[in-house]
Amino acid sequence: MSILVDENSRVVVQGITGREGTFHTKLMIEYGTVVAAGVTPGKGGKKVEDVPVFNTLKDAVDKEGVNVSCIFVPPPFAADAIIEAASAGLKVIVCITEGIPTLDMVKVASFLKDKDSVLIGPNCPGIISPGKTKVGIMPGPIHMQGGMAVISRSGTLTYEVVDQLTGVGLGQSTCIGIGGDPIIGTTFIDHLKWFKEDPETKGVVLIGEIGGTAEEEAAAYIRKEFNKPVIAFIAGQTAPPGRRMGHAGAIISGGQGRAEDKINALEAGGITVCMNLGNLGQTALEVMGKS
Amino acid sequence: MSILVDENSRVVVQGITGREGTFHTKLMIEYGTVVAAGVTPGKGGKKVEDVPVFNTLKDAVDKEGVNVSCIFVPPPFAADAIIEAASAGLKVIVCITEGIPTLDMVKVASFLKDKDSVLIGPNCPGIISPGKTKVGIMPGPIHMQGGMAVISRSGTLTYEVVDQLTGVGLGQSTCIGIGGDPIIGTTFIDHLKWFKEDPETKGVVLIGEIGGTAEEEAAAYIRKEFNKPVIAFIAGQTAPPGRRMGHAGAIISGGQGRAEDKINALEAGGITVCMNLGNLGQTALEVMGKS
Amino acid sequence: MKLHEYQAKDIFGKSGIPIPNGQLVTAVDQATKATQIISGAPWVVKAQVHAGGRGKGGGVRVVHYPYEVATATEDLLGKPLVTKQTGPEGVIVNQVLIEEGVEIDREFYLSMVIDRSSAMPAMIFSQAGGMEIEEVASKTPELILKEYIDPAVGWMPHQARNLIYGIKPPLSLGPVKTLMSIMANLYRVFTTLDCSLVEINPLAITKEGKVIALDAKMSVDPNALFRQKELLHFDDPREKDPLELMAEKYSLNYIRLDGNVGAMVNGAGLAMATMDVIKMAGAEPANFLDVGGGASESMITKGVEIILKDRRVKAILVNIFGGILRCDVLARGVVAAAKKGMIRLPLIVRLKGTNVEEGREILRNSDLQFFVAKDLAEAAELVAKQVS
Amino acid sequence: MKLHEYQAKDIFGKSGIPIPNGQLVTAVDQATKATQIISGAPWVVKAQVHAGGRGKGGGVRVVHYPYEVATATEDLLGKPLVTKQTGPEGVIVNQVLIEEGVEIDREFYLSMVIDRSSAMPAMIFSQAGGMEIEEVASKTPELILKEYIDPAVGWMPHQARNLIYGIKPPLSLGPVKTLMSIMANLYRVFTTLDCSLVEINPLAITKEGKVIALDAKMSVDPNALFRQKELLHFDDPREKDPLELMAEKYSLNYIRLDGNVGAMVNGAGLAMATMDVIKMAGAEPANFLDVGGGASESMITKGVEIILKDRRVKAILVNIFGGILRCDVLARGVVAAAKKGMIRLPLIVRLKGTNVEEGREILRNSDLQFFVAKDLAEAAELVAKQVS
């Protein structure tokens, strides 16, 4: 098992003819992902890496039965792409695009409220169920199939963590970058709920960062509802307030979003917080060894 | 039993200081309805028929624990009033107002999608559970408590039907005017589902009219899911196409909404369709006698 | 509220939806001048009436010489145009639109309406343009494509692509882009002007590859006119039945029909049902008249007057279920009409509800000749007897 | 992107949000002239800098004679203003806003932000205006009211009433109406200009009962600037750190901090975590620098250059987890910087991921002196050793 994506996922790449879209289509196929279709308006009938390209997502669904989307379209058109995917009934929508206007995401979030689609991202590395499928831009080879779930607001930081986990022999069930923007499709809690029901997942690494209150909310949820071991790390302990630290969502403002508040909340929730990134793998090994 | 409203309903009248609002507040109280509060912005602190008036619905909820709203505010402000009521968490919202712009109702419908509120109307006479409470403008005395449910797109036509039912000795559990506009909060099917679960309700009179396909959809639902006797009447058998017959929703256009199609669909659903309004009470008595 | 083609096109032109060059004329000499401004030949001369079916009724003429433009205009102006929607007497043509003719390569259909079931606006597109959409719907329903518009996000580009990329054979990039912008603009027009219908049929692609709205239908939600005041001047009372216009003035909801039994009812549903009852009793309703809940005595009197102005009426049925409208108010209004000597036809009255006794009393005490029906069934019988 | 007070007020003025009469001046003689146009006394002279806390920092002066306006302006212009947000060196004041003073009766707080949890814009109102909202939030949280705005329906009048009718003592009808219109207009400004923050504090009621925005803060979502081109001219590069400005030009995400260890990282999260690791090893990060996934060799070189322009830097840590950014590209960029003679400080390199061997090879084959760390823990130790 794993959550949301696995060997049965039939992936459509929205924006497949763009530079990034083409590049990562190749890498996903190399990893073993079934990339069944691509979409670029006006390029219908072409092929990219032997994948058929359609003008609309509707066509891709009708002709190729795709059920997971991976979006690489540029920021001005990304909200349209997400809504197109949800309208076409895709179960899982992964939006890699960074730089979508926040008010576009307000509309997207409103649109998705009564839909069955799960949106991962935007501004995220995607989702991987190691050994099964990879929908996103993370380096495949660092992953190893196993029992750890990883949920993260970050990209390369996640790779660092996964690499350490693999290094200490802790494989992963599913790793998810939920995205670094203020408004994202799914939160820590959404994924924790799914991981709770996933028998393959034995423990969770939760990688947060400054900004917002998502980690505090996750801590409250874990305390009340979550019964598997959780190891957490918060990036940005030394970040100054009022400055956006790369991610649109990573900003301490109005007295909210400080790393220490998040760490306190997590520890109060009985969660092991790793303070030094260098030791994360080791910490995870200790926690999982105990359980 | 009855559905949606009963003796426990604490009603707030939105637009209570207006002419209609005040008039019907009086009549509702006379019928026995608990009108616990009124709302008119800027008139907070006043009283109407001994009912305290508040500036906002939020205040009325906080101070008087109201759970059902009856809206009389003029069309330009009615959408705001409905959304205010839903935001304040009211369970049942009855909107009497006629003449709300359709695009306002598009927004209202979208807003209500993920809320728990039930909207009845707009452009409707309201809802009455005879002997318990009346939330609306229907004449109370013609009603009699009993086992017949009435669901109708019309106003005075409903009174005519109820009067005939009472005349033949068939009392009513709950009578609902769902409204004569193209976009309404709840449809025949919504109420049929609730009546299905209401043990007091033994049979249903469904009063449709030309325009739209609500009756056809109800017929399909009844055939599949509804197990109590239904008597139907469709107004507008002689109405010309392309003309709006009083109600904004009562128009035959684009080959849709004809009375004969509705009657055929209902009969195909095994529903007794009364062709002549004059005989409705008698027909109902026969059907209910058989069952 | 219906707009004329030229009015809708005026709005289109200002909203980024391409239209042909054209000019509205109300006199023949203007028509001749128009040909000097508007490029041709050919020219298209189009009668501006609200009724549909103009083309088959001879209201649209394609001509090739300037003098023909004048002749066609003269042919149409001031004369009744009969279409399948007007009835045999037709409607008088007061205005004519003269447009440049274009060479059509392909014809599409594009419209927007409110979809009741989903409670959302819908954009409807078909590549089978130029014919009536009902015909397409019955013969080739697969050629009609719909997109529903969530008000939280508005019209989205992928929806346009869903409609446009279904066209076979496919369009080239230029027309695709223009169609996308036309759809986005149509959505903006529809929502900002509170339309209940906007229809472009045909939406043509010319031989030069231009996309252009050759016809335009637009209706505005009458409930929204309070915030669309700048559209009020588009209202053309000349297009309305004079009795309906008079009723409108007194806030009475009156629709003229072809029968001989006038009906006065409170409530639209009951009014429709009363019409049906009349028909079922073997007579024909002469009108739909809902006097509404808030009718005053004088409005009732006016209602009687309007019913009786229709010379075909042979009897009147008053069917009132008193609620907000009290039966005594109704009775006073009817008696007032009688006193003015208006009522010389058989009057059948069926009263029920609020203040019914008082109402009957008022009628009894007047000089008025009338029949009282105890219920709807009896009322219908009495009516039928009077007109048979 | 932050706007200056005068820029935000300019937008307010055009959007139906009342503002005081005022004039922007950049020279003392303009200040004297301004007093002839703007009614006073008193006048308010306000330094136009992005940093908050201007009032307490002496950047806002209320004066009563025209010559004082000139003196105050001279006092501020061209000189550094130190506030709690600027750091000890302060920011240079380049522009001064001169406004009519008003007699304040009551002060409110009004703002709009995006609420992350609900994914909706929120309107925030408090009747405790004039003080910092964080202070109100901690002392009297019940005085802060919020309304969330559903994008399907937009800002609704009842939401304004929910905020306004909570005010004690209650306002009279005039101010209620103005406040309602200000809120509706603020919502329009926020959404049409893609704002991330709009704040009016204080929103004052004058002794004459007028409602007026005495201050204005506005930030625009940088991700939306592609469709807000007309706002680009509001950008004031003089307000930015020169190194950050240079980084921006090369699409590098650089933020200057106070420490002595320069850091170059790919990915914002990893860059933050690297800063934390440096700190935990007992050193202080001199910057945040995310070179991003698509960095080219020359961008890397530029990044090194920017880090080194900060004279406080004593050592550099390069931490790259190669993914889209390949380690060999990173190595070439660093070597190119070394060849230009830029690197004279200890360099600690930690490479991992795509093409890591190739990258290490390139570094080894260069003349560059550097330390290789096998993992993050070791990298931090090496850094600490170099700067201790």
Side-chain angles (χ1 to χ4, degrees), chain C residues 316-349:
Chain C
I316 303 179
L317 169 59
V318 173
N319 183 22
I320 298 294
F321 203 109
I324 316 177
L325 172 63
R326 284 148 29 205
C327 291
D328 58 316
V329 173
L330 179 277
R332 283 201 192 88
V334 173
V335 170
K339 275 196 183 141
K340 289 188 186 167
M342 287 191 282
I343 307 183
R344 271 169 304 232
L345 295 173
L347 176 69
I348 297 99
V349 177

Short mmCIF file of all heavy atoms in Angstrom, two decimals, chain C residues 316-349:
data_model
loop_
_atom_site.label_atom_id
_atom_site.label_comp_id
_atom_site.label_asym_id
_atom_site.label_seq_id
_atom_site.Cartn_x
_atom_site.Cartn_y
_atom_site.Cartn_z
N ILE C 316 -66.52 36.53 -18.10
CA ILE C 316 -65.38 36.74 -17.21
C ILE C 316 -65.48 35.79 -16.02
O ILE C 316 -66.55 35.63 -15.44
CB ILE C 316 -65.35 38.19 -16.67
CG1 ILE C 316 -65.31 39.18 -17.83
CG2 ILE C 316 -64.15 38.39 -15.75
CD1 ILE C 316 -65.31 40.62 -17.38
N LEU C 317 -64.32 35.18 -15.70
CA LEU C 317 -64.26 34.36 -14.50
C LEU C 317 -63.30 35.01 -13.52
O LEU C 317 -62.14 35.24 -13.84
CB LEU C 317 -63.78 32.95 -14.85
CG LEU C 317 -63.42 32.05 -13.66
CD1 LEU C 317 -64.62 31.87 -12.74
CD2 LEU C 317 -62.91 30.68 -14.15
N VAL C 318 -63.83 35.34 -12.34
CA VAL C 318 -62.97 35.87 -11.27
C VAL C 318 -62.73 34.75 -10.27
O VAL C 318 -63.69 34.23 -9.71
CB VAL C 318 -63.61 37.08 -10.58
CG1 VAL C 318 -62.78 37.50 -9.37
CG2 VAL C 318 -63.76 38.23 -11.56
N ASN C 319 -61.48 34.36 -10.11
CA ASN C 319 -61.15 33.27 -9.19
C ASN C 319 -60.11 33.77 -8.19
O ASN C 319 -58.95 33.96 -8.53
CB ASN C 319 -60.61 32.07 -9.97
CG ASN C 319 -60.32 30.90 -9.04
OD1 ASN C 319 -60.88 30.82 -7.93
ND2 ASN C 319 -59.46 30.00 -9.47
N ILE C 320 -60.57 34.01 -6.99
CA ILE C 320 -59.69 34.60 -5.97
C ILE C 320 -59.59 33.70 -4.75
O ILE C 320 -60.61 33.33 -4.18
CB ILE C 320 -60.21 35.99 -5.54
CG1 ILE C 320 -60.22 36.96 -6.73
CG2 ILE C 320 -59.35 36.56 -4.38
CD1 ILE C 320 -58.87 37.33 -7.29
N PHE C 321 -58.35 33.32 -4.40
CA PHE C 321 -58.15 32.65 -3.14
C PHE C 321 -57.51 33.67 -2.20
O PHE C 321 -56.30 33.86 -2.20
CB PHE C 321 -57.27 31.41 -3.27
CG PHE C 321 -57.51 30.44 -2.16
CD1 PHE C 321 -58.16 29.23 -2.40
CD2 PHE C 321 -57.13 30.74 -0.85
CE1 PHE C 321 -58.42 28.35 -1.36
CE2 PHE C 321 -57.38 29.86 0.18
CZ PHE C 321 -58.03 28.67 -0.07
N GLY C 322 -58.36 34.32 -1.43
CA GLY C 322 -57.91 35.44 -0.60
C GLY C 322 -56.82 35.04 0.37
O GLY C 322 -56.98 34.09 1.14
N GLY C 323 -55.72 35.74 0.32
CA GLY C 323 -54.65 35.53 1.28
C GLY C 323 -54.22 36.93 1.66
O GLY C 323 -54.84 37.59 2.49
N ILE C 324 -53.16 37.40 1.03
CA ILE C 324 -52.76 38.78 1.23
C ILE C 324 -53.82 39.69 0.59
O ILE C 324 -54.22 40.70 1.14
CB ILE C 324 -51.38 39.05 0.60
CG1 ILE C 324 -50.42 37.91 0.91
CG2 ILE C 324 -50.84 40.38 1.10
CD1 ILE C 324 -49.07 38.06 0.27
N LEU C 325 -54.23 39.29 -0.62
CA LEU C 325 -55.33 40.02 -1.27
C LEU C 325 -56.64 39.60 -0.61
O LEU C 325 -57.00 38.42 -0.62
CB LEU C 325 -55.37 39.67 -2.77
CG LEU C 325 -56.58 40.21 -3.54
CD1 LEU C 325 -56.59 41.74 -3.54
CD2 LEU C 325 -56.61 39.69 -4.96
N ARG C 326 -57.33 40.58 -0.04
CA ARG C 326 -58.58 40.25 0.64
C ARG C 326 -59.74 40.25 -0.32
O ARG C 326 -59.81 41.06 -1.25
CB ARG C 326 -58.83 41.24 1.77
CG ARG C 326 -57.95 41.01 3.00
CD ARG C 326 -57.62 42.29 3.73
NE ARG C 326 -58.65 43.29 3.59
CZ ARG C 326 -58.43 44.60 3.69
NH1 ARG C 326 -57.20 45.06 3.93
NH2 ARG C 326 -59.41 45.45 3.55
N CYS C 327 -60.71 39.37 -0.08
CA CYS C 327 -61.85 39.23 -0.97
C CYS C 327 -62.68 40.51 -1.03
O CYS C 327 -63.28 40.83 -2.06
CB CYS C 327 -62.73 38.06 -0.53
SG CYS C 327 -61.93 36.46 -0.77
N ASP C 328 -62.72 41.29 0.06
CA ASP C 328 -63.53 42.51 0.03
C ASP C 328 -62.90 43.56 -0.89
O ASP C 328 -63.61 44.30 -1.57
CB ASP C 328 -63.72 43.07 1.46
CG ASP C 328 -62.40 43.37 2.15
OD1 ASP C 328 -61.47 42.54 2.05
OD2 ASP C 328 -62.28 44.44 2.77
N VAL C 329 -61.57 43.59 -0.92
CA VAL C 329 -60.90 44.53 -1.83
C VAL C 329 -61.23 44.17 -3.27
O VAL C 329 -61.56 45.02 -4.10
CB VAL C 329 -59.37 44.51 -1.60
CG1 VAL C 329 -58.66 45.34 -2.66
CG2 VAL C 329 -59.02 45.01 -0.20
N LEU C 330 -61.16 42.89 -3.55
CA LEU C 330 -61.49 42.40 -4.88
C LEU C 330 -62.90 42.82 -5.26
O LEU C 330 -63.14 43.40 -6.34
CB LEU C 330 -61.34 40.87 -4.90
CG LEU C 330 -61.63 40.06 -6.14
CD1 LEU C 330 -63.11 39.77 -6.29
CD2 LEU C 330 -61.07 40.69 -7.39
N ALA C 331 -63.82 42.56 -4.35
CA ALA C 331 -65.23 42.84 -4.62
C ALA C 331 -65.44 44.33 -4.91
O ALA C 331 -66.11 44.71 -5.87
CB ALA C 331 -66.09 42.40 -3.45
N ARG C 332 -64.82 45.17 -4.10
CA ARG C 332 -64.97 46.62 -4.30
C ARG C 332 -64.45 47.05 -5.66
O ARG C 332 -65.02 47.88 -6.34
CB ARG C 332 -64.21 47.39 -3.21
CG ARG C 332 -64.96 47.41 -1.89
CD ARG C 332 -64.53 48.54 -0.96
NE ARG C 332 -65.09 48.27 0.36
CZ ARG C 332 -64.50 47.53 1.29
NH1 ARG C 332 -63.29 47.04 1.08
NH2 ARG C 332 -65.10 47.29 2.44
N GLY C 333 -63.32 46.45 -6.06
CA GLY C 333 -62.74 46.79 -7.36
C GLY C 333 -63.66 46.39 -8.50
O GLY C 333 -63.84 47.15 -9.47
N VAL C 334 -64.25 45.22 -8.37
CA VAL C 334 -65.15 44.74 -9.42
C VAL C 334 -66.39 45.61 -9.49
O VAL C 334 -66.84 46.01 -10.57
CB VAL C 334 -65.53 43.26 -9.19
CG1 VAL C 334 -66.59 42.81 -10.17
CG2 VAL C 334 -64.28 42.37 -9.31
N VAL C 335 -66.94 45.94 -8.31
CA VAL C 335 -68.15 46.77 -8.28
C VAL C 335 -67.86 48.16 -8.87
O VAL C 335 -68.67 48.71 -9.61
CB VAL C 335 -68.66 46.88 -6.82
CG1 VAL C 335 -69.75 47.94 -6.71
CG2 VAL C 335 -69.19 45.52 -6.36
N ALA C 336 -66.68 48.68 -8.56
CA ALA C 336 -66.30 49.99 -9.11
C ALA C 336 -66.28 49.94 -10.63
O ALA C 336 -66.72 50.88 -11.32
CB ALA C 336 -64.95 50.43 -8.56
N ALA C 337 -65.75 48.83 -11.18
CA ALA C 337 -65.72 48.67 -12.64
C ALA C 337 -67.14 48.62 -13.18
O ALA C 337 -67.44 49.23 -14.22
CB ALA C 337 -64.96 47.39 -13.00
N ALA C 338 -68.01 47.92 -12.47
CA ALA C 338 -69.40 47.80 -12.90
C ALA C 338 -70.07 49.17 -12.92
O ALA C 338 -70.80 49.51 -13.85
CB ALA C 338 -70.14 46.85 -11.97
N LYS C 339 -69.78 49.95 -11.88
CA LYS C 339 -70.41 51.28 -11.78
C LYS C 339 -70.01 52.15 -12.95
O LYS C 339 -70.75 53.03 -13.38
CB LYS C 339 -69.97 51.94 -10.47
CG LYS C 339 -70.85 51.52 -9.31
CD LYS C 339 -70.70 52.43 -8.12
CE LYS C 339 -71.54 51.91 -6.96
NZ LYS C 339 -70.84 52.07 -5.67
N LYS C 340 -68.80 51.97 -13.45
CA LYS C 340 -68.36 52.74 -14.61
C LYS C 340 -69.02 52.21 -15.88
O LYS C 340 -68.69 52.65 -16.98
CB LYS C 340 -66.84 52.63 -14.76
CG LYS C 340 -66.06 53.40 -13.67
CD LYS C 340 -64.58 53.42 -13.99
CE LYS C 340 -63.78 54.03 -12.86
NZ LYS C 340 -62.34 53.80 -13.00
N GLY C 341 -69.89 51.22 -15.71
CA GLY C 341 -70.62 50.70 -16.86
C GLY C 341 -69.80 49.80 -17.74
O GLY C 341 -70.11 49.56 -18.91
N MET C 342 -68.72 49.31 -17.19
CA MET C 342 -67.83 48.53 -18.04
C MET C 342 -68.32 47.11 -18.25
O MET C 342 -68.07 46.51 -19.29
CB MET C 342 -66.43 48.48 -17.41
CG MET C 342 -65.70 49.80 -17.52
SD MET C 342 -63.96 49.63 -17.07
CE MET C 342 -64.04 49.60 -15.31
N ILE C 343 -69.00 46.56 -17.24
CA ILE C 343 -69.29 45.12 -17.28
C ILE C 343 -70.67 44.87 -17.89
O ILE C 343 -71.69 45.10 -17.27
CB ILE C 343 -69.21 44.51 -15.87
CG1 ILE C 343 -67.86 44.87 -15.23
CG2 ILE C 343 -69.38 43.00 -15.95
CD1 ILE C 343 -67.62 44.29 -13.88
N ARG C 344 -70.66 44.40 -19.14
CA ARG C 344 -71.92 44.04 -19.77
C ARG C 344 -71.91 42.58 -20.20
O ARG C 344 -72.70 42.18 -21.03
CB ARG C 344 -72.14 44.93 -21.00
CG ARG C 344 -72.87 46.22 -20.66
CD ARG C 344 -72.83 47.17 -21.82
NE ARG C 344 -71.45 47.41 -22.21
CZ ARG C 344 -70.93 48.63 -22.35
NH1 ARG C 344 -71.66 49.70 -22.17
NH2 ARG C 344 -69.68 48.78 -22.70
N LEU C 345 -70.97 41.84 -19.61
CA LEU C 345 -70.84 40.43 -19.97
C LEU C 345 -71.12 39.59 -18.74
O LEU C 345 -71.00 40.07 -17.62
CB LEU C 345 -69.42 40.14 -20.44
CG LEU C 345 -68.99 40.84 -21.74
CD1 LEU C 345 -67.51 40.59 -21.98
CD2 LEU C 345 -69.82 40.35 -22.92
N PRO C 346 -71.46 38.32 -18.95
CA PRO C 346 -71.67 37.45 -17.80
C PRO C 346 -70.41 37.37 -16.94
O PRO C 346 -69.31 37.24 -17.46
CB PRO C 346 -71.97 36.08 -18.43
CG PRO C 346 -72.34 36.36 -19.84
CD PRO C 346 -71.68 37.63 -20.23
N LEU C 347 -70.63 37.49 -15.62
CA LEU C 347 -69.52 37.48 -14.68
C LEU C 347 -69.70 36.31 -13.71
O LEU C 347 -70.74 36.19 -13.06
CB LEU C 347 -69.51 38.80 -13.91
CG LEU C 347 -68.48 38.98 -12.81
CD1 LEU C 347 -67.08 39.09 -13.39
CD2 LEU C 347 -68.80 40.23 -11.99
N ILE C 348 -68.69 35.44 -13.65
CA ILE C 348 -68.74 34.31 -12.72
C ILE C 348 -67.69 34.55 -11.65
O ILE C 348 -66.53 34.81 -11.97
CB ILE C 348 -68.47 32.97 -13.44
CG1 ILE C 348 -69.57 32.71 -14.47
CG2 ILE C 348 -68.41 31.82 -12.44
CD1 ILE C 348 -69.19 33.08 -15.86
N VAL C 349 -68.13 34.50 -10.41
CA VAL C 349 -67.23 34.83 -9.32
C VAL C 349 -67.07 33.64 -8.38
O VAL C 349 -68.05 33.04 -7.96
CB VAL C 349 -67.74 36.04 -8.51
CG1 VAL C 349 -66.82 36.31 -7.33
CG2 VAL C 349 -67.84 37.26 -9.41
#
